[in-house]
Amino acid sequence: MCTRVGDAELSTASFVSDMSAGFSGNYGYSLPRDWAYDQIATISVGSGDGYINIDNNIASGRDVGQGSFNPPRIGLPDTYFDGAYYLSLQHDVGAYMESIGFPESSLNRIYSHSECLESIMAEGRLMTEISHRYQMRKALIQTSAYWEMCHYDLMDLTVDAAVVYCHTATGGSTITPVRDSSAGVAQISGTVGIIAWNHCINNALAEGPILDPDVDSDLWVMWHQLNQNNDFSIATVPLIHMWGADGKPGGVNPPGGETIIRRPRLDYTDREIFEVLRRSQGWGNEAEEHAQKRMALYQIFERCNSIIRGA
């Protein structure tokens, strides 16, 4: 493969996996003319707990490697959004959603991509202030809220009406009552909202009344706020992420529970970002798949935010 790519003048150097017997094309072929590194053997180093296997590579000198590095960029806090970047962000987000099977609009979905982005970005000042308060990347809040709003469909609308009927007996006697559902722009259920708020209040991360998800009147108070108050719904997203990082105590968890990881910070790694996005979805194959898709969406929001804040 390296030889053919080099002969087509599509590469300037090659790193050849020469020791991998599974690549049967290695047998009987000379190294490509532009080889820089050649993986020739696996060797063992260290002992005891420090024992590991590493690849032994040889170098032709074509590539001398990297001997110096720029200092890491300082993790600057996010700033307020610059409207000059809106159309670019709208294009990138829309193109990505189209690429994963979400057209601009559909008969089943309530909101188009553009309407979702407009609603989420309208909360930009609040998101920026929240990101400062919790030292959390704004893109983490934007991603979760936008993703969930994009998935709000006719079935969700019907279930919302059933929840209203359950707690207020208004909306029509033919409706089958439903006690709780995912609600609002961030599609958060009343139960999860209560558990996340309670957890963060008890850990001095938020202020408010302690509610009981088993008490109908408390559940209705939380659900109604999430469904009708966009500011409240957006402010709940980072609390869910911090609750998720703390292992989701009191919530529904996989067998063995969730591990405790760092709460979101400006220097959060990609792995940590993936974990909180996955935990906000749940666990299992579907949650993993959605988290992977949201990771790319996060990078789009974060790229735009990093340009605006300058790092």
Side-chain angles (χ1 to χ4, degrees), residues 113-164:
H113 294 160
S114 299
E115 289 170 330
C116 291
L117 186 64
E118 183 177 352
S119 296
I120 298 307
M121 299 309 290
E123 299 291 333
R125 180 168 292 273
L126 173 63
M127 287 188 181
T128 303
E129 292 169 355
I130 290 174
S131 74
H132 291 176
R133 184 185 312 158
Y134 298 120
Q135 291 295 290
M136 180 186 302
R137 281 292 171 221
K138 188 164 57 172
L140 201 53
I141 308 169
Q142 293 167 323
T143 298
S144 295
Y146 176 85
W147 179 265
E148 295 299 339
M149 190 174 181
C150 274
H151 284 73
Y152 189 52
D153 58 22
L154 294 176
M155 180 60 71
D156 294 316
L157 194 64
T158 301
V159 175
D160 286 352
V163 174
V164 173

Side-chain angles (χ1 to χ4, degrees), residues 241-242 244-247 258-264 268 271-277 279:
H241 287 331
M242 291 187 290
D246 287 351
E258 297 279 18
T259 59
I260 296 175
I261 62 176
R262 282 196 309 161
R263 290 173 183 160
Y268 233 26
R271 184 63 204 174
E272 289 169 318
I273 293 165
F274 176 86
E275 268 300 303
V276 295
L277 290 175
R279 292 178 188 205

Side-chain angles (χ1 to χ4, degrees), residues 169-231:
T170 60
S173 59
T174 60
I175 299 176
T176 301
V178 175
R179 189 169 180 269
D180 193 11
S181 71
S182 299
V185 294
Q187 287 293 281
I188 302 167
S189 72
T191 299
V192 168
I194 287 176
I195 295 174
W197 270 94
N198 287 352
H199 176 78
C200 291
I201 291 168
N202 289 330
N203 284 273
L205 298 169
E207 296 180 352
I210 296 294
L211 301 177
D212 186 343
D214 294 325
V215 175
D216 285 348
S217 59
D218 284 2
L219 184 66
W220 170 245
V221 166
M222 176 60 68
W223 187 92
H224 191 258
Q225 287 188 93
L226 291 168
N227 192 47
Q228 297 295 317
N229 188 331
N230 285 0
D231 285 0

